[in-house]
């Protein structure tokens, strides 16, 4: 369960103050698949970075399972990112000189997972995101944008986080692969009780989530969705 | 993939740059190692020289140093005074005698070589030796140099009426050198070192009645003498009590009798040619020398330290040692600085990547360690190349350092050495001395690269590199994970 309380993040740009996140509050039950939509530059990525403890809010708080991020020391925040969060970056942010497999193994290495387990699990994850097995050992800068995006998703899943924050996870994927990723995220929230918050412009994806929020002028408003519950059981 | 593997991988990310960095590091490290090797080599040489100087002081009558003989002889009272000087542990008086083969001397006298009383005395050493006759034959042939020296001894000697010596000398057949007999108060040689006896015993009783003598091995061999054999000096019969090996041909063409015996033979009781004063430790040699000189009076005695000319050499070597140490530290610092700058640059360049690692939960120390290890990979490569450079360059660097810093001091040291050698031995042919010049000595500084020193040097390089890499590694802790959202 994640509670966001009156979150504000402002930026100074010359003598102007930009307020992409200006008093955002919401709650998400564990296992919810939710989406955030909004215009470009509306502050979606900014909000996600606050939830993922990549950035600190100007004011307000994020409470994860009863624990407040505000005032948490940096070491604890690092641990929170490592253990509880899986972040899929809009720009992928993979380590360019490492292989796909090594990139997926990195969070596990930081978490102290045994080497053999790491490789095994990393391969399984890369298969789940449908990356060709012969591309597992390939260096990131020799992979296509869509392939990199899937490696980034696999990396976010590496430590089985409770909360996945995904910034445009299907932005670079063809329709079919995108569908598969949506299905993967959907099954994670359904079967593993993982809370998933995706930022998306993808209508299909947004329509398949349990809840949908729109970020506008720094504020978040919930919109009604058909949701998974309304869909037929078999897709 | 571990932190180490990632660091090694990162070190080779930009191969051209890595090669350039390693090359620059190798020069700095190579220079540092070469300087360290030079420093050690010179340090070892200084120690060796200091040890060879020893703790022995030699006291001669004032004025006999150099080529001019003169002054008052030393006395037994002066020996007692010397013994009372602080830090002096032993005083051994010696009386030098010059022995000539009786038959040969007679022949020469007949030929008029020994022109005047004392004409053959003095010698280049200027010692106030007394010439006596003996049944012994010298073990060393004079050779050209010796013959010339003995001829000219008339001219360089004290007040001998000369003029005839030169002309008659040339007609002389081959002749042998005189034998040095030393009356001594203890079984030591003229530099205060204990005599190495190869057979027999010491001199026993140090009385005037003693007829015991120690013979140099070659001298004994030449005269077919063994322990117990007898020979004569000035028609007094002596028994060979033992034989010694002084290690040199000249040194072994000598014999030792007791001091009182020598004084009696010379008919100069209580008179000493030289005193050999031993000081308790190296540190006290200088103060004891001054004290001894003051106690005896500058007008009465000259106190010299054995192989004093080495001091100049030691001083210049010491400065070479200091220079090489400074250069070592400077080169080490340069290597550290290169690492620091390179790593600062790499950290700045990889800001975003560091942000990524933090965003996915890497602890600061893991990232810091990764950068330190990457720096050490570069240093390790630089050290390998640097060690190769050092092993080729250090010999040249060491001798270049030594010769440039000593070229000005070497010459006077050499001259002084020559004069002193003559005085100490009283031998003709002493020119040049045992140390022809300090420069000759210094070129013998061999900078061999020992693995121990290399290891110590490389350890120091790594220590400095870790310090150099720590600064940028700590900088990574200040990079925030949000950097990932900033475009490059
Ligand atoms: N560090 C910063 N300093 C100044 N302004 C910033 C900073 N980060 C973001 N902004 C501004 O905040 C606003 C929100 O940016 P954000 O990246 O959150 O938008 P977004 O909704 O993710 O857009 P997109 O859909 O294009 O990814 C933008 O106007 C951006 O220029
Ligand atoms: Mg964005």
């Amino acid at each position: 369960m994640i509670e966001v309380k009156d979150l504000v993040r402002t930026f100074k740009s010359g003598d102007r103050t930009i307020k992409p996140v200006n008093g955002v509050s919401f709650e998400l039950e564990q296992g919810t698949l939710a989406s955030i939509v909004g215009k470009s530059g509306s502050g979606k990525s900014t909000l996600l970075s606050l939830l993922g403890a990549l950035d600190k809010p100007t004011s307000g708080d994020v409470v994860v399972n009863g624990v407040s991020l505000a005032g948490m020391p940096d070491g604890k925040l690092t641990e929170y990112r490592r253990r509880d969060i899986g972040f899929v970056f809009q720009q992928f942010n993979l380590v360019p000189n490492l292989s796909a497999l090594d990139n997926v193994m990195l969070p596990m290495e930081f978490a102290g997972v045994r080497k053999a387990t790491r490789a095994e699990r990393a391969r399984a994850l890369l298969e789940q995101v449908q990356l060709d097995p012969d591309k597992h050992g390939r260096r990131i800068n020799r992979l296509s944008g869509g392939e990199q995006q899937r490696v980034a998703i696999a990396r976010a899943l590496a430590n089985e986080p409770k909360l996945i924050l995904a910034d445009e996870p299907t932005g670079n994927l063809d329709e079919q692969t995108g569908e598969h990723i949506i299905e993967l995220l959907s099954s994670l929230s359904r079967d593993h009780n993982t809370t998933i918050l995706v930022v998306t412009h993808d209508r299909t994806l947004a329509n398949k989530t349990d809840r949908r929020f729109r970020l506008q002028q720094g504020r978040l408003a919930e919109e009604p969705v058909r949701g998974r519950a309304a869909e037929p059981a078999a897709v | 993939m571990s932190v180490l593997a990632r660091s090694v991988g990162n070190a080779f990310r930009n191969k051209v740059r890595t090669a350039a960095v390693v090359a620059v590091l190798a020069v700095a490290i190579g220079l540092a190692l070469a300087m360290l090797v030079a420093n050690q080599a010179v340090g070892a040489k200084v120690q060796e020289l200091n040890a060879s100087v020893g703790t022995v002081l030699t006291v001669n009558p004032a004025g006999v140093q150099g080529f001019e003989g003169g002054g008052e002889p030393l006395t037994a009272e002066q020996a007692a005074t010397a013994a009372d000087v602080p830090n002096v542990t032993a005083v051994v008086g010696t009386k030098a005698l010059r022995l000539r083969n009786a038959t040969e001397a007679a022949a020469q006298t007949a030929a008029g070589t020994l022109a005047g009383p004392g004409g053959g005395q003095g010698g280049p050493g200027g010692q106030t030796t007394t010439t006596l006759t003996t049944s012994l034959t010298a073990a060393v042939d004079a050779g050209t140099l010796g013959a010339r020296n003995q001829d000219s001894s008339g001219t360089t000697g004290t007040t001998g009426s000369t003029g005839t010596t030169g002309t008659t000398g040339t007609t002389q057949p081959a002749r042998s050198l005189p034998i040095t007999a030393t009356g001594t108060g203890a079984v030591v040689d003229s530099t205060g070192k204990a005599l190495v006896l190869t057979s027999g015993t010491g001199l026993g009783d140090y009385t005037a009645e003693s007829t015991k003598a120690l013979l140099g091995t070659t001298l004994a061999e030449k005269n077919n003498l063994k322990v117990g054999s007898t020979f004569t000096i000035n028609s007094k019969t002596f028994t060979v009590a033992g034989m010694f090996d002084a290690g040199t041909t000249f040194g072994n063409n000598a014999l030792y009798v007791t001091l009182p015996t020598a004084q009696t033979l010379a008919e100069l009781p209580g008179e000493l040619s030289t005193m050999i004063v031993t000081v308790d430790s190296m540190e006290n040699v200088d103060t004891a020398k001054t004290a001894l000189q003051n106690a005896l009076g500058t007008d009465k005695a000259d106190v010299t330290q054995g192989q004093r000319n080495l001091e100049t050499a030691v001083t210049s070597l010491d400065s070479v040692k200091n220079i090489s140490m400074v250069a070592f530290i400077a080169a080490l610092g340069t290597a550290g600085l290169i690492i620091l700058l390179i790593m600062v640059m790499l950290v700045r360049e990889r800001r975003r990547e560091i942000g990524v690692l933090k965003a996915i939960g890497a602890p600061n120390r893991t990232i810091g360690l990764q950068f330190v290890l990457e720096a050490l990979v570069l240093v390790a490569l630089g050290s390998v190349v640097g060690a190769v450079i050092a092993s080729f360059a250090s010999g040249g660097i060491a001798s270049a350092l030594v010769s440039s810093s000593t070229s000005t001091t070497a010459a006077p040291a050499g001259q002084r050495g020559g004069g002193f050698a003559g005085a100490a031995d009283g031998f003709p042919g002493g020119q040049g001395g045992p140390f022809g010049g300090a420069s000759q000595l210094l070129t013998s500084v061999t900078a061999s690269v020992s693995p121990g020193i290399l290891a110590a040097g490389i350890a120091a390089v790594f220590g400095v590199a870790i310090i150099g890499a720590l600064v940028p590694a700590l900088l990574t802790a200040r990079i925030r994970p949000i950097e990932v959202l900033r475009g490059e």
Side-chain angles (χ1 to χ4, degrees):
Chain A
M1 156 116 162
I2 181 165
E3 300 168 66
V4 177
K5 294 174 179 172
D6 205 15
L7 212 55
V8 177
R9 180 67 168 108
T10 59
F11 296 109
K12 285 247 186 307
S13 165
D15 36 279
R16 243 164 37 93
T17 306
I18 311 166
K19 298 178 174 173
V21 177
N22 192 14
V24 168
S25 301
F26 66 93
E27 284 180 17
L28 281 182
E29 289 299 324
Q30 192 63 39
T32 312
L33 173 62
S35 62
I36 299 175
V37 295
K39 276 201 257 168
S40 176
S42 58
K44 305 180 294 294
S45 295
T46 305
L47 175 60
L48 228 51
S49 71
L50 293 172
L51 301 182
L54 301 179
D55 196 9
K56 287 179 179 167
T58 311
S59 69
D61 196 4
V62 176
V63 180
V64 183
N65 297 327
V67 183
S68 158
L69 294 189
M72 202 184 254
D74 281 356
K76 285 276 171 215
L77 287 175
T78 303
E79 199 184 315
Y80 166 71
R81 288 194 297 268
R82 181 166 65 233
R83 275 198 358 211
D84 299 335
I85 302 288
F87 210 113
V88 182
F89 298 94
Q90 195 170 8
Q91 317 282 346
F92 320 140
N93 283 323
L94 298 162
V95 182
N97 69 321
L98 297 186
S99 70
L101 205 63
D102 285 335
N103 265 282
V104 179
M105 291 199 296
L106 265 185
M108 295 189 256
E109 180 197 316
F110 300 146
V113 177
R114 275 184 47 240
K115 208 168 183 173
T117 320
R118 273 187 240 160
E120 202 179 307
R121 181 161 165 73
R123 280 189 195 286
L125 285 169
L126 287 173
E127 269 166 36
Q128 272 187 37
V129 296
Q130 295 186 326
L131 188 76
D132 270 1
D134 57 303
K135 288 177 182 164
H136 289 190
R138 200 177 278 191
R139 278 167 53 141
I140 290 303
N141 48 17
R142 305 234 173 102
L143 292 178
S144 77
E147 286 164 341
Q148 289 186 38
Q149 185 147 42
R150 282 175 283 156
V151 175
I153 293 166
R155 182 179 68 180
L157 305 182
N159 283 337
E160 300 180 309
K162 294 194 205 83
L163 174 63
I164 291 173
L165 302 167
D167 204 343
E168 302 263 14
T170 57
N172 290 59
L173 303 179
D174 62 278
E175 206 173 323
Q176 204 189 340
T177 317
E179 285 279 348
H180 173 78
I181 293 299
I182 294 165
E183 194 44 51
L184 176 66
L185 294 176
S186 184
S187 74
L188 276 172
S189 74
R190 195 172 52 226
D191 306 335
H192 289 85
N193 202 28
T194 308
T195 309
I196 299 172
L197 191 55
V198 287
V199 166
T200 188
H201 291 294
D202 185 340
R203 243 176 255 269
T204 339
L205 174 53
N207 276 329
K208 282 183 178 171
T209 56
D210 302 322
R211 298 171 72 185
R212 188 171 74 196
F213 299 95
R214 181 169 294 277
L215 188 61
Q216 217 165 9
Q217 263 118 42
R219 298 200 177 256
L220 206 63
E222 187 157 7
E223 295 180 340
V225 277
R226 260 193 311 146
R228 284 184 293 178
E231 270 179 44
V235 179
Chain B
M1 174 133 292
S2 63
V3 182
L4 179 63
R6 217 161 38 243
S7 303
V8 175
N10 281 344
F12 291 102
R13 244 157 112 160
N14 184 332
K15 292 189 180 64
V16 175
R17 186 165 66 195
T18 301
V21 169
V22 167
V24 175
L25 271 176
V27 171
I29 294 171
L31 191 64
L33 294 178
M35 284 304 159
L36 188 64
V37 169
N39 179 272
Q40 295 297 314
V42 171
K45 191 73 193 177
V46 166
Q47 229 168 26
E48 186 189 307
L49 292 185
N50 273 333
S52 76
V53 169
T55 57
V56 173
L57 298 173
T58 308
V59 182
N60 288 300
V64 289
Q65 251 203 82
F67 293 88
E68 308 299 325
E72 291 295 318
L74 297 169
T75 62
E77 291 85 74
Q78 281 172 311
T81 312
D84 287 341
V85 168
N87 300 322
V88 167
T89 53
V91 176
V92 175
T94 66
K95 176 74 192 136
L97 303 171
R98 206 164 138 100
L99 306 183
R100 303 223 57 147
N101 181 272
T103 11
E104 207 176 275
Q108 280 176 24
T109 312
T113 323
L114 291 170
Q121 291 180 18
Q127 286 276 29
T128 52
T129 45
T130 312
T131 303
L132 304 168
T133 55
T134 179
S135 62
L136 297 173
T137 308
V140 183
D141 283 335
T144 312
L145 202 59
R148 201 192 303 145
N149 274 318
Q150 285 191 63
D151 281 346
S152 59
S153 70
T155 11
T156 57
T158 48
T159 53
S161 56
T162 53
T164 54
T165 47
T167 45
T168 48
T170 48
T171 61
Q172 285 289 323
R175 52 161 75 142
S176 56
L177 287 173
I179 302 156
T180 300
T182 309
T184 180
V187 187
V188 292
D189 67 8
S190 59
T191 60
K193 277 187 290 197
L195 278 178
V196 181
L197 291 180
T198 54
S199 63
T201 57
L203 291 171
D205 263 2
Y206 287 88
T207 60
E209 288 73 42
S210 168
T211 57
K212 287 182 178 171
L214 298 177
L215 259 68
T217 45
T218 49
L219 183 62
E221 215 169 283
K222 174 88 177 179
N223 292 283
N224 291 320
L225 297 178
K226 298 199 168 44
V227 173
S229 312
T230 58
F231 63 95
T232 62
I233 300 174
N234 264 16
S235 23
K236 187 174 174 182
T237 306
F238 284 84
T239 313
V240 179
M243 278 186 272
F244 64 88
D245 184 8
T248 64
T249 316
F250 279 117
N252 283 340
N253 184 36
L255 63 92
Y256 286 84
V257 293
T258 68
L259 179 61
T261 308
Q263 287 166 336
T264 311
L265 280 170
E267 291 167 31
L268 294 165
E271 216 182 276
L272 302 174
S273 317
T274 315
M275 289 193 290
I276 295 152
V277 177
T278 310
V279 181
D280 56 1
S281 73
M282 289 277 300
E283 295 81 63
N284 293 330
V285 168
D286 279 342
T287 44
K289 187 186 167 205
T290 315
L292 192 58
Q293 185 70 76
N294 290 339
L296 297 173
T298 42
D299 55 335
K300 295 268 164 41
D302 279 331
V303 181
T304 48
Q305 191 176 351
Q307 300 162 2
R308 196 65 194 164
N309 60 313
L310 288 184
E311 208 174 65
T312 331
V314 168
T315 311
S316 49
L317 277 181
D318 263 334
S319 69
V320 173
K321 197 171 164 241
N322 292 341
I323 291 166
S324 57
M325 187 39 87
V326 168
F328 167 67
I329 292 168
L332 206 60
T334 307
L337 199 65
I338 292 167
I339 282 293
L340 179 96
L341 295 177
I342 279 296
M343 294 319 287
V344 165
M345 191 183 88
L346 287 179
V347 166
R348 290 180 67 99
E349 202 175 87
R350 296 198 205 135
R351 257 184 112 73
R352 187 180 166 120
E353 187 179 316
I354 293 166
V356 171
L357 295 177
K358 292 196 170 190
I360 61 172
N364 284 338
R365 65 189 137 76
T366 305
I367 298 168
L369 178 67
Q370 183 185 314
F371 275 87
V372 170
L373 288 177
E374 183 172 343
L376 292 187
V377 170
L378 296 174
V379 171
L381 290 173
S383 295
V384 170
V385 183
V388 173
I389 292 176
S391 54
F392 283 111
S394 51
I397 287 176
S399 48
L401 270 176
V402 167
S403 62
S404 68
S405 86
T406 55
S407 54
T408 48
T409 55
Q415 281 169 11
R416 219 152 47 115
F420 183 61
D425 296 349
F427 268 119
Q431 301 129 306
F435 300 102
S439 57
Q440 212 176 324
L441 241 184
L442 297 178
T443 49
S444 68
V445 173
T446 44
S448 58
V449 181
S450 88
I453 291 166
L454 264 192
I458 288 173
V461 168
F462 272 81
V464 168
I466 288 173
I467 295 169
L470 224 47
V471 178
L474 291 176
L475 281 181
T476 62
R478 298 175 49 161
I479 295 173
R480 290 173 308 125
I482 193 65
E483 297 287 338
V484 294
L485 297 191
R486 310 252 154 92
E488 244 137 83

